[in-house]
Amino acid sequence: MARRKKAEDLAARVRNLLAMDAAGIMRRLDARRDEMFALFSRLRSREPLLGAIASRYANGAFDHLIHLPEQEQAVVDHFYERLDELRWYFTYTEDMPGTAQQVFSKLHKRLEEAYRVLVVTLGPPVPPDGARVVDVQAVRHEGSTSETALDRPVAPARHRRA
């Protein structure tokens, strides 16, 4: 039982790292979209384009992805394949900045769709404060008293060492 819990915790951590990496990439692309093409045009440097899509946590991915179910692995692979299309284009394009921006828009839409599927499959990253958003609905059971669960004292949790 402890081994299964440890495997589930490891898979959850891998999901969170992948979700954080993907969210960071998408956030940088949205925030830097206009500026990266202006810099590409002015400096003739690909660095502003490539810096926006840099992956922070994907190194050594195989060692971590092995802990996820096959479906999740496929979704992660699909996202990074779309990202690699963008990386390849940014690295080797000889297009002028206006054309590069048009091609980017097309590739970015594909990446956004892959990202939406990734978030639905893996879940969003845990926010920096560690609080997860949970959708709940209060349900009153028949025969319950007016006392709510919030009114009752809670016994401290007991922790077991494995």
Side-chain angles (χ1 to χ4, degrees):
M1 189 70 156
R3 186 175 290 184
R4 182 181 303 180
K5 174 74 172 140
K6 185 176 179 179
E8 289 171 7
D9 287 348
L10 182 57
R13 289 179 181 180
V14 170
R15 284 183 197 99
N16 189 55
L17 284 174
L18 291 166
M20 286 187 335
D21 188 43
I25 290 166
M26 300 307 291
R27 189 173 44 254
R28 286 191 305 274
L29 279 174
D30 288 340
R32 300 177 187 174
R33 176 185 308 223
D34 295 333
E35 188 177 8
M36 66 185 189
F37 286 102
L39 290 169
F40 176 59
S41 177
R42 190 175 80 231
L43 304 174
R44 296 291 184 221
S45 170
R46 298 169 196 280
E47 185 54 37
L49 305 174
L50 294 169
I53 59 172
S55 177
R56 295 185 179 166
Y57 305 115
N59 294 341
F62 182 80
D63 292 338
H64 301 292
L65 289 177
I66 198 166
H67 300 287
L68 300 180
E70 291 86 357
Q71 177 61 30
E72 291 178 4
Q73 291 171 350
V75 167
V76 169
D77 183 66
H78 182 70
F79 172 80
Y80 283 100
E81 185 64 32
R82 298 291 79 80
L83 182 63
D84 192 53
E85 287 176 352
L86 196 53
R87 184 177 292 114
W88 178 267
Y89 178 74
F90 282 170
T91 302
Y92 298 107
T93 186
E94 293 183 6
D95 290 342
M96 297 304 284
T99 304
Q101 202 163 8
Q102 290 173 352
V103 172
F104 165 77
S105 291
K106 182 172 56 170
L107 294 174
H108 186 250
K109 284 180 186 175
R110 294 175 71 178
L111 183 64
E112 284 180 318
E113 180 56 34
Y115 177 67
R116 279 191 287 278
V117 173
L118 183 133
V119 170
V120 166
T121 304
L122 300 184
V126 174
D129 64 4
R132 283 199 183 263
V133 176
V134 180
D135 290 331
V136 296
Q137 180 180 9
V139 177
R140 179 173 297 275
H141 295 283
E142 288 185 38
S144 67
T145 65
S146 62
E147 178 185 38
T148 67
L150 295 176
D151 296 330
R152 284 177 259 156
V154 177
R158 298 183 192 264
H159 298 285
R160 242 182 1 149
R161 291 189 179 210

